[in-house]
Amino acid sequence: MEQFNLKPGMLMGTATAATQIEGGDRNNSWYHWCQTGHIKDGSSCLRACGHYNRVEEDIGLMSSMKLQIYRFGIEWSRIEPERGKYSMEAVEHYKKELLLLKQHGILPLMTLHHFSNPAWFEEAGAFLNPGCVEIFRDFTSFVVTHLGEYVSEYITINEPNVYVVNGYIFGEWPPGQKSFFKGMKVFKNMCLCHYAAYDEIHSVRKKLGFPGETKVGTAMHLRIFDPYNKKSLIDRISAKVFGYLFQDAVSDSMYKGKLRFPIGLTAPVRKARFYEFIGINYYTRDIMKGAKLTVREGAQTNDLGWEIYPEGLRRLIDGQYKRYGAPIYITENGTCDGKDAFRAKYIYDHLKAVCESDAPVERYYHWTFMDNFEWLEGEHGPFGLVRCDFGSGEREVRESGRFYTDIIENKGVTKEAVKKYLQE
Ligand code: BGC
């Protein structure tokens, strides 16, 4: 393993989501999903990492790890506990968090929606509700008016494709529906919500004269779909179709204001460019055997059985840059490794893939800062650079976390770091 430098100017940090770390909120769709016995280990996001009451400590820890950037989410149900009724207490909380980040010189990127809905919105049909665009625009407007002074970079919606597939096609996530037709409708409405939020963030920040260049995008879950047998026409077509339906149709629709089939008619809704950066969340690849998703035989996998395929990240960066021509943010990349046995190597290989690409990758947010509530896996999906003991709340930086700090400090992987973290 050789040393290498990071791309000049590329900033490094971590990403989290409110529902996965905060704890203490009973007013969101995931709390209800946990209460009704859907989580494999029976745990609940009500506990998570207790981050809501430990913000100071956690940001202090980020700072001691030399993190330069932080992608985090706000819990919509805390900000707007009832339709049109806003909580200034929640606003003050997030304002304090943003000010702490500033004090430590950590640049924030705020996610408005990351899988979880306020209970009232879920009950009203969430993104199937004909009024959802207005509702989401109002929420965005309120957030940016009150917090926009302290944050200039935003992700409107995290992984609409994962939200729709799990919640409306497989029915494993809230609201537990299995309807392709409804799934496509949700996709369409999420696109419309993204356009509205994009406009709102820009116009409110401009109108109120908030500092910093406003940058808005989404974080799209992107996978590699490769054919099992390259000579098989069926496998090749299947890989293409899955890639199109799961990601390209959604990305194009979100970014270009043109709803692609089967999300909508291909006619433009309002043909425009709805992004300043392209957010890539990357974890793994699928091998298509006919219409079946499989894992490459003999591949190295993580604790959840996902193939570790670093080259996929470079392929996606190059593909997305060619397709959309904007700076790339790696908004999530990481692995589930409870023993911290291969995370350092995972980071090395994926960062190397990032640096080998010629595209302008400006940010790398490792998923994730600390072990958290990993949706259906509950408290058994340790993706953290920091180990979190859910019982005591104790945080402990892992060896891979120290490696990450070393990379940030040296703007790359040094010979000494290879020896210390990857060979010993
Ligand atoms: C999601 C995260 C999740 C991670 C690992 C991403 O799809 O945005 O919330 O924890 O994957 O499963």
Side-chain angles (χ1 to χ4, degrees), residues 20 114-115 158-159 162 221 281 283 306 332 367 374-375 383:
Q20 292 181 271
H114 195 131
F115 299 154
N158 178 70
E159 299 188 346
V162 171
H221 186 100
N281 292 357
Y283 291 90
W306 303 356
E332 288 182 26
W367 185 271
E374 175 52 33
W375 311 115
F383 278 81

Side-chain angles (χ1 to χ4, degrees), residues 29 64 121 123 136 142 152 226 265 289 338 347 379 416 418:
S29 50
S64 74
F121 182 59
E123 277 155 29
F136 195 68
F142 179 84
S152 59
D226 275 341
L265 298 173
K289 239 183 185 176
I347 293 171
E379 294 175 354
E416 294 72 30
V418 168

Side-chain angles (χ1 to χ4, degrees), residues 182-339:
K182 281 186 185 164
M184 293 309 111
K185 215 166 163 196
V186 173
F187 264 146
K188 177 176 172 179
N189 284 341
M190 284 188 132
C191 289
L192 302 183
C193 286
H194 169 68
Y195 310 152
Y198 176 93
D199 287 343
E200 200 63 25
I201 296 168
H202 277 282
S203 77
V204 172
R205 289 197 85 253
K206 193 169 167 200
K207 189 174 80 201
L208 299 179
F210 290 153
E213 190 188 342
T214 306
K215 294 182 187 173
V216 183
T218 71
M220 198 63 71
H221 186 100
L222 299 179
R223 307 170 78 88
I224 293 284
F225 295 94
D226 275 341
Y228 174 74
N229 176 357
K230 284 191 189 125
K231 290 190 188 137
S232 152
L233 184 64
I234 304 267
D235 291 0
R236 286 201 324 262
I237 291 179
S238 164
K240 283 250 176 303
V241 169
F242 267 76
Y244 174 76
L245 287 177
F246 183 71
Q247 48 209 34
D248 294 340
V250 193
S251 307
D252 275 1
S253 302
M254 292 287 266
Y255 296 144
K256 297 181 176 171
K258 178 177 169 184
L259 297 177
R260 301 280 305 267
F261 177 82
I263 297 169
L265 298 173
T266 307
V269 175
R270 204 189 86 209
K271 215 171 156 194
R273 188 172 143 137
F274 293 99
Y275 59 98
E276 273 74 44
F277 60 85
I278 294 297
I280 299 179
N281 292 357
Y282 174 71
Y283 291 90
T284 188
R285 105 168 132 176
D286 294 297
I287 299 293
M288 303 307 303
K289 239 183 185 176
K292 229 172 109 199
L293 298 157
T294 66
V295 176
R296 187 174 67 81
E297 285 157 19
Q300 199 205 338
T301 55
N302 74 6
D303 292 0
L304 298 175
W306 303 356
E307 179 182 353
I308 298 178
Y309 177 57
E311 171 66 8
L313 183 53
R314 195 197 49 73
R315 286 171 63 187
L316 286 170
I317 292 170
D318 291 348
Q320 294 287 297
Y321 185 59
K322 197 165 154 211
R323 205 175 174 103
Y324 302 113
I328 305 285
Y329 287 13
I330 307 303
T331 36
E332 288 182 26
N333 175 239
T335 196
C336 187
D337 173 17
K339 296 199 175 111

